[in-house]
Structure formats: structure tokens, C-alpha cells
Amino acid sequence: MVWGLALWLALVGNLPLWQRIQGLGGSLGYRVALIAGLGALLTCAIAALLWLFAWPRVFRPVASLLLVVAGANSYFMWRYGVVMDPTMLASTLHTDVREVRDLMSWSLLGALLLVAGLPLWALWRQPRFLHGGWRRVGHNAAGLLAAVALLVFTALMSYQGLASLMRNHKDLRYMANPLNSVYAATWVAAERLPRQAKPLLPVGEDARLGASYDHQARPPLLLLVIGETARAQNFGLNGYARDTTPALARWRAGGDLVNFSQVRSCGTNTLVSVPCLFSPLSRAQGGDQPADRENLLDVLQRAGLAVLWIDNQAGCKGVCNRVPHVYTNEQPVPALCPGGECLDAAMLDGLDARLEALDPARRARGVVLVMHQMGSHGPAYAARSPDGAKPFLPECRSNALPECSQQELVNAYDNSIAYTDRFLDQALQWLSARAAQGRNDTGLVYVSDHGESLGENGLYLHGVPYALAPDQQTHVPMVAWFSSGLRQRAGLSLDCLRARSAEPLSHDNVFHTVLGLMDVRTRVREPALDALAPCSSAG
């Protein structure tokens, strides 16, 4: 059973990998040699893994899990070009019921039956292990040694061709199924979980409000919108052929909105990008790793400001744990939450009342409000915009994206971007009204957490390892709008910002930019990473 399962998993469980190698080109003999060598390596490696679990009451559950995991991995590699690395597994573990529902399809069931059905039937028809003890230890040890010896022999025989293959096509190492999941699970258990168990290091213990708060006429109110899965190339403001952002274009024409066209994300999935976006560490410093210290919201709250996080997604990934936070699905608005899943406009419902519920003393100093969008979260792009707000038709309404035509897929995605434009327009109208009423000096910063692939090079969705990620998954949109009152208190020059709007920025800049804009003084703020500092007389 060990060797039979190992051979099945290596061959049938890795059909996407063999298909990928077939597409690399070269002679037929060269490709057959690569598949034979890599197939033998995977068979031996999987057999060695199975021999470790060849114990009574252990083998069949573990083997069954590997089969199901292999089937699921095969489906997502086939359908979306998604591979399983440590960050993808960690993100999967944080997936909520709504996201799982969006991924369910008959084709997923078919892939599971193809890869796991027959071997599961055979596995559970076999008689259970009846002996253990030293006899089982010796049997397993012999099997393990044989598997390792064959693995070493095969590696030596195939080294030259496979080493060149892996060097030139690094993505293939993430397609070795189900060993990719075993490696990812080991990494998560060894690296991410211990970090999460440790208390967070304090950040900005010296944080205080600057001179702009002395005798202020109106408290500042900054709305920070964290977009979801919006890619810059489909944003009309960035020169996209379609006008997906007509409302933002009007705000820009009015002179108060600036579009930053060259912004890079910290990661390719929400679990990495959102904590990194609020981290005091840059990506190079480890901001893309599991958080081991407090974040921007902690510093703002420590300085005495009111902070509120409103979430319309699958949670804040730990960022909002120590500040007031609410979730739209806890009190759904019937008109905006069909089927229990809310449109982003639900975050604007009753917003004045939410602000009034914050601590009065903090609110009198200033407010930072964060909204975490559902945005363009896939694969159910059509669900991200209401029926009355779909300018691009016909659209893909299936979550099995390759089954749709490319134009229908792009239409559905562009409709979600157009709805984000509509949502931001409503938010800007609300902020503008509060400024006009003399209640706050208001501003908005919008930036997406990561981008998305829409079939380019056979890739869909997101989550490709960062070093291999295409531009569509890391180039994200970002805009900023400031009322005249906020510009005055921050000493901002819009002409300067517009002139510098095409300069490279990234999520690394957000922490320091927000602190500078809100005039929070602390040693952890680095002026060199404040995107607004070059255009601010306040420094």
C-alpha cells in the first residue's frame, strides 16, 4: 500500500506538474526524461513520508488526508495556476465560510474523485494493521531506508537535468504534490505559530500628538480604505482603456484627489499584505513575516486618537485586535447584504452613529477610521457589484473562471472595480460634507492589499510566491484626497503631490505616511518613508 499510494500520488496527483513540464518545450525525449526522473524522485520521497506514518490507527487517516490534499491542490493548480507555499497555506487556514463557498464547484468534486476516489476506496478495503511493536519498527525502518536509498540514487542519476530545470523554473518546486503542502504545514508550525504565541513587542511608546492639535478648530478625520484584490492596470485613473473609475476621475478633475500610479504591495495575499501594510517594518526588514510587534493602529491609539476598524472581509488578520472594531455581517443591512454577504456600501451605513459611539475625549482630538473592503475578491467577482451597477456585460457568473470567456471574466472583474469607484465616491461625499459643516478636517487614503491574475500566463486569482509573482499581483492602485482644512494643518501642496505621483511607492510607506499626516510624533516614524513629507511644510 505504501508504494502503491506513493506511485499514484506521484503520477496522478501531479498531472498539473507534468502538464507544465510538457509545455516547457525541448525534444520529446528530453521532456520524457525530466518527467521520469522527477516522477521517480517524488515516488521515493512520498514513500519515505508514508513509511513514517505506517502504524496501526495512523496510516489510513494520514494517507487519506494526503490524497484529499493532493486532489484539492491539483484542482487549484489546474484551474487557477495557484501553488501551495507556506504563505498560501497560512492564508488558507484563515479562510472563512464565505470564501470557501465561493470556491466550491462540481469541477472541484470531480478533481477530488479523480485523484483521491479510487485509492481511498482501495485503502479502506485493506485489512487493518494487526501487529505493532518492534516488528512494526523493523518493517517501517526497512521500508524507510529503501525509500531513502532509492531517492538518493535517483537524485544522483537525474541531477544534471533536474537541477537545471529547477534553477530555470523555480515555480515548479511549489507544484510537487502533496509534498508542497507537507513542507508548507511544517513551516507554518515551526515559524508562524510560535511567533503568534509570543506577546507583541511595543511600538511607539513615546507617541504623542504634535503642535497642530494645540487649540485646533476642528479635529482631523482620516479614512483609510484597504482595498481587496484591485490591480492597478484595471484602474481607469492609471490609463486603462476602460473608464472603470469615472467618479474618482471627477474628484481628480476637481483638484483635490491625487492618484499614485506606481505602488507595490508587500505580499500577494491578504494575510501577508494587511499586517505588513500597518507594520513599522518594511518588507525588507521582515514586515511580510508574522507580526511580532504592535502596528500603526496601536501607535495612533497610544498617541490619544480615536481608532475604529470596520471590516467587510474575512477579518483584520490581527491588526485591529487592540482597537475598537466592527464587522458588517454582525448587523447586516438587508438592502446591502443579500444572502448574508454585504456589499462594501454597508460600511458607510450608520457611520455617524458609529463615530459618536467612540470615546468622546479621543474623538475630540481626532479619528482614524479604517475600512477593509470586500472589493474585487475572487473568484466570485460578479457578487462584488449589485445588478444595478454593472457597466460591463455580459459578465462571468461562475466561480470556475476558466469556463468563462476571457471577455466575460474581465467584465466581471471590471464591474467590481467600478463598484469600488462608486463606494469611494460615496465615502468622499461623506467626508466632504463633514468638512463643509466644519465638523472635521477630513482626508482619505485608499490602497489595495494586492492585485489579481485574470488568466495571464495561465494564472488566476493571487497568492503566487512573491519572488515569482507577476506584475498583476503586486502593482496596486492608491489614491489620496484631502480637504482644504487638512491640507492647511499638514502644510500639503497638491501641485507638489501631483508632480511626484508617478514616483515608486509601496506598502512600506503607509505606516510613516499616516503618522506624518496625523501629526503623531514618535521615534519610530521615518520621514524618508513618508510619501507626503516632500510636499509638506510640516516635514
Side-chain angles (χ1 to χ4, degrees), residues 250-260 428 442-445 479-502 517 531-537:
R250 290 193 296 271
W251 285 96
R252 183 172 63 174
D256 294 335
L257 185 137
V258 179
N259 176 59
F260 298 94
L428 287 168
T442 57
L444 176 144
V445 174
V479 300
W481 174 91
F482 310 107
S483 69
S484 59
L486 188 59
R487 293 200 306 271
Q488 184 176 355
R489 70 183 289 152
L492 285 174
S493 166
L494 282 178
D495 289 338
C496 173
L497 287 176
R498 282 191 287 266
R500 301 175 65 96
S501 62
L517 180 62
L532 306 180
C535 298
S536 170
S537 60

Side-chain angles (χ1 to χ4, degrees), residues 16-243:
L17 175 58
W18 310 139
Q19 185 181 39
R20 174 84 168 83
I21 292 176
Q22 278 288 351
L24 294 180
S27 67
L28 177 61
Y30 168 73
R31 283 175 283 149
V32 169
L34 288 178
I35 292 174
L38 189 53
L41 276 176
L42 288 175
T43 301
C44 295
I46 295 169
L49 175 66
L50 289 172
W51 279 118
L52 293 174
F53 295 97
W55 302 94
R57 299 185 179 87
V58 175
F59 179 72
R60 288 196 289 194
V62 170
S64 299
L65 177 62
L66 289 176
L67 285 164
V68 172
V69 166
N73 282 353
S74 293
Y75 171 76
F76 288 109
M77 284 190 283
W78 257 328
R79 281 292 185 182
Y80 304 117
V82 171
V83 294
M84 184 60 68
D85 71 326
T87 58
M88 177 59 75
L89 177 62
S91 180
T92 301
L93 295 175
H94 284 76
T95 299
D96 67 4
V97 174
R98 293 177 298 174
E99 293 175 311
V100 171
R101 182 182 61 197
D102 287 343
L103 293 170
M104 292 294 103
S105 69
W106 289 110
S107 51
L108 172 57
L109 178 61
L112 290 174
L113 289 174
L114 171 64
V115 175
L118 180 61
L120 280 175
W121 176 81
L123 178 65
W124 287 94
R125 280 182 58 85
Q126 293 294 315
R128 186 168 59 87
F129 285 108
L130 297 178
H131 59 272
W134 289 109
R135 182 180 176 187
R136 172 53 51 191
V137 171
H139 194 74
N140 288 5
L144 179 61
L145 287 174
V148 171
L150 286 172
L151 177 67
V152 172
F153 175 78
T154 305
L156 291 175
M157 294 296 293
S158 309
Y159 175 78
Q160 186 172 354
L162 293 181
S164 175
L165 177 70
M166 294 301 173
R167 201 164 41 240
N168 296 325
H169 304 279
K170 294 181 180 179
D171 59 312
L172 295 180
R173 68 188 65 179
Y174 297 107
M175 297 181 70
N177 194 18
L179 298 178
N180 49 5
S181 295
V182 174
Y183 166 74
T186 303
W187 186 92
V188 169
E191 295 290 335
R192 184 173 288 271
L193 295 181
R195 287 196 184 199
Q196 293 176 345
K198 295 179 181 178
L200 297 176
L201 300 173
V203 172
E205 293 182 294
D206 61 335
R208 58 181 177 81
L209 299 179
S212 65
Y213 291 87
D214 297 339
H215 313 295
Q216 64 181 1
R218 296 170 300 278
L221 168 59
L222 175 65
L223 173 56
L224 180 58
V225 179
I226 308 303
E228 172 63 39
T229 321
R231 62 187 208 171
Q233 75 178 59
N234 287 59
F235 232 60
L237 291 182
N238 290 325
Y240 185 45
R242 284 178 159 177
D243 190 9

